[in-house]
Amino acid sequence: MLPFSGGDSDLPLVSVVVPAYNASAYIERTLRSAIRQTYTALEIIVVDDGSTDDTAKVVEMIAMSDSRIRLLSTPNRGVAAARNTGIDTSSGRFVAFLDADDLWHRTKIEKQAKALNRLPNRWAAVYALHYLINEDDEIIGLGSSRMARGYIYAQHLKFKYVGNGSALLVRRDVALEIGGFDSSYAAAGIGGCEDLDFELRLAAHYCIEVIPERLVGYRKHPGSMSSDHLRMGKSALEVVRRSIAANPGLPRYAIRSAIDATQKYAFWEFRQARQSDLSLATVLAILRSDPSFVIRLMFHKVLRGIQHSCRLGLTASSSGASSRINRSKFDDQIAHSFIQCPEETSRSRRDRMRLSALDAKLSSTISNRTGAALGQRS
């Protein structure tokens, strides 16, 4: 891919905000993926959020070879506050967020900045899809292939398209207008889904674009925030509750759809956290809205029990013979072809189409309000 057309002085500056807490194991690889972007008009702001390891030293070492990197050090206040510090001190027209253990493909910012720069101001952000990677940068799975563009608030409440905190590029003035990231989740001990909260506040008032390519390596490892399943489940439920409360005009169907999807997500998180009481309470709530989900859950539990019994006769050597597979690295050699939409169930398709129609109505309402406000001011 050729560099984005024009010299550096012709490009809108993109501020890359990297919140980092005890990230010395990964921060060098993360920053290298930012430095190597084909889009060169960058400032890279690392906010060291009170780390007790060598994060700051590693960043300072890398900054010696690239003047675009700037290190800010703050007391530990959580990822939302760290991102806000980065936004406040940034100078770019656009801001992109990169968590300190994730990776970017070298074309990520070029493709996003080019897409957003040619759209009117009502389009506030653009996201890309992602791979799941492990501690060794190996691809271990695919992020969701679901995607939508335009005014997608009701759809995003249910399908949560963006998927992680390193996928989004946003207009800086809009990020400031909506108040940045909400640090009250961390203060309440349920931090983890602040990026979803930010996305929903964006989506409630603006259009969002998508690059249909996997340009982010989202790292899964025991020390990551997403590995705290109990906190993630609680955080997601609270984010959606607050978003619904902040948008009282949201149609009832969209509310039910969002709550149902988030309860299912929370159930799996609570289950992985081995929180039996919360898992049971959540599945009972789901039972009222989607009994078929609970029936399928019980069926699969019985099936797993049968499969487990059948496996007891296998030897340890045979069961572990194929445990290690050859995995591709997340690097610049990956082919990022355009992604087809995933197969849908009839129910999922109906939900998506109905929510899309609701978004069209909500978008029209917001446009009318904006036009009336502008008319009064003139």
Side-chain angles (χ1 to χ4, degrees):
M1 157 111 13
L2 294 174
F4 190 32
S5 60
D8 286 359
S9 60
D10 299 327
L11 301 177
L13 181 66
V14 174
S15 300
V16 179
V17 174
V18 185
Y21 175 71
N22 288 349
S24 59
Y26 303 109
I27 188 67
E28 181 174 359
R29 281 177 273 174
T30 295
L31 290 180
R32 296 295 179 198
S33 78
I35 291 169
R36 293 169 182 161
Q37 290 295 298
T38 55
Y39 191 100
T40 57
L42 303 175
E43 63 171 355
I44 303 169
I45 304 169
V46 181
V47 183
D48 181 14
D49 186 35
S51 297
T52 57
D53 66 357
D54 292 332
T55 295
K57 291 182 180 179
V58 175
V59 175
E60 289 170 346
M61 178 189 69
I62 301 170
M64 291 177 64
S65 62
D66 196 313
S67 61
R68 295 174 299 174
I69 298 175
R70 179 157 43 113
L71 174 65
L72 303 177
S73 296
T74 67
N76 180 244
R77 296 176 296 166
V79 65
R83 287 175 181 156
N84 288 339
T85 296
I87 296 170
D88 290 342
T89 59
S90 67
S91 304
R93 182 187 305 175
F94 304 134
V95 180
F97 306 103
L98 175 59
D99 286 348
D101 52 359
D102 292 341
L103 300 177
W104 282 344
H105 187 266
R106 63 195 297 268
T107 64
K108 190 244 186 200
I109 294 298
E110 176 182 343
K111 290 175 177 177
Q112 288 185 306
K114 188 174 182 180
L116 194 57
N117 198 44
R118 65 176 176 234
L119 289 168
N121 288 338
R122 190 170 181 233
W123 294 74
V126 54
Y127 67 98
L129 305 184
H130 66 277
Y131 288 105
L132 303 175
I133 62 174
N134 64 12
E135 296 96 324
D136 299 316
D137 303 347
E138 296 171 332
I139 296 172
I140 57 174
L142 303 177
S144 174
S145 296
R146 291 185 182 275
M147 50 190 163
R149 66 184 297 273
Y151 186 85
I152 60 171
Y153 175 62
Q155 297 170 77
H156 193 38
L157 265 173
K158 177 180 175 69
F159 294 114
K160 302 170 179 62
Y161 293 108
V162 181
N164 66 85
S166 297
L168 197 69
L169 180 142
V170 62
R171 297 186 192 276
R172 180 180 183 271
D173 58 345
V174 174
L176 292 170
E177 176 195 316
I178 67 170
F181 290 83
D182 190 340
S183 60
S184 68
Y185 293 99
I190 53 171
C193 293
E194 291 94 337
D195 48 345
L196 175 61
D197 176 271
F198 181 81
E199 295 155 18
L200 287 171
R201 283 184 283 117
L202 274 176
H205 300 285
Y206 290 93
C207 294
I208 297 176
E209 180 62 289
V210 59
I211 303 297
E213 300 178 63
R214 300 190 190 281
L215 301 176
V216 177
Y218 177 49
R219 197 182 304 276
K220 305 287 284 186
H221 61 94
S224 65
M225 183 176 291
S226 61
S227 67
D228 189 335
H229 299 291
L230 175 60
R231 185 173 60 181
M232 291 296 290
K234 289 182 175 181
S235 185
L237 289 170
E238 179 62 12
V239 164
V240 170
R241 186 197 70 78
R242 291 189 191 183
S243 188
I244 291 171
N247 294 277
L250 192 64
R252 186 174 301 176
Y253 176 79
I255 293 173
R256 289 199 307 266
S257 182
I259 292 174
D260 176 66
T262 311
Q263 286 175 334
K264 289 172 182 174
Y265 168 81
F267 166 75
W268 292 115
E269 292 294 298
F270 295 152
R271 185 170 176 175
Q272 290 186 78
R274 300 185 178 182
Q275 295 289 323
S276 301
D277 291 346
L278 282 173
S279 297
L280 179 59
T282 307
V283 84
L284 288 175
I286 296 169
L287 181 62
R288 292 191 289 270
S289 61
D290 187 3
S292 63
F293 174 84
V294 181
I295 293 171
R296 291 193 302 271
L297 188 68
M298 295 173 65
F299 173 78
H300 287 304
K301 184 174 182 179
V302 172
L303 185 62
R304 282 195 302 272
I306 295 172
Q307 291 172 337
H308 177 70
S309 298
C310 293
R311 284 197 297 266
L312 290 178
L314 298 175
T315 63
S317 59
S318 64
S319 64
S322 60
S323 60
R324 181 67 180 176
I325 61 174
N326 292 325
R327 290 171 171 159
S328 299
K329 288 270 190 176
F330 182 90
D331 57 28
D332 295 340
Q333 304 307 313
I334 297 171
H336 294 280
S337 58
F338 281 78
I339 295 172
Q340 295 181 344
C341 292
E343 293 184 5
E344 294 181 298
T345 64
S346 57
R347 174 173 179 165
S348 177
R349 188 180 304 109
R350 287 195 305 270
D351 283 347
R352 180 177 55 79
M353 293 178 65
R354 190 169 177 181
L355 291 170
S356 179
L358 291 177
D359 276 329
K361 292 181 180 179
L362 291 170
S363 176
S364 177
T365 300
I366 290 173
S367 296
N368 290 338
R369 288 176 182 170
T370 303
L374 290 173
Q376 290 175 359
R377 284 200 292 270
S378 63

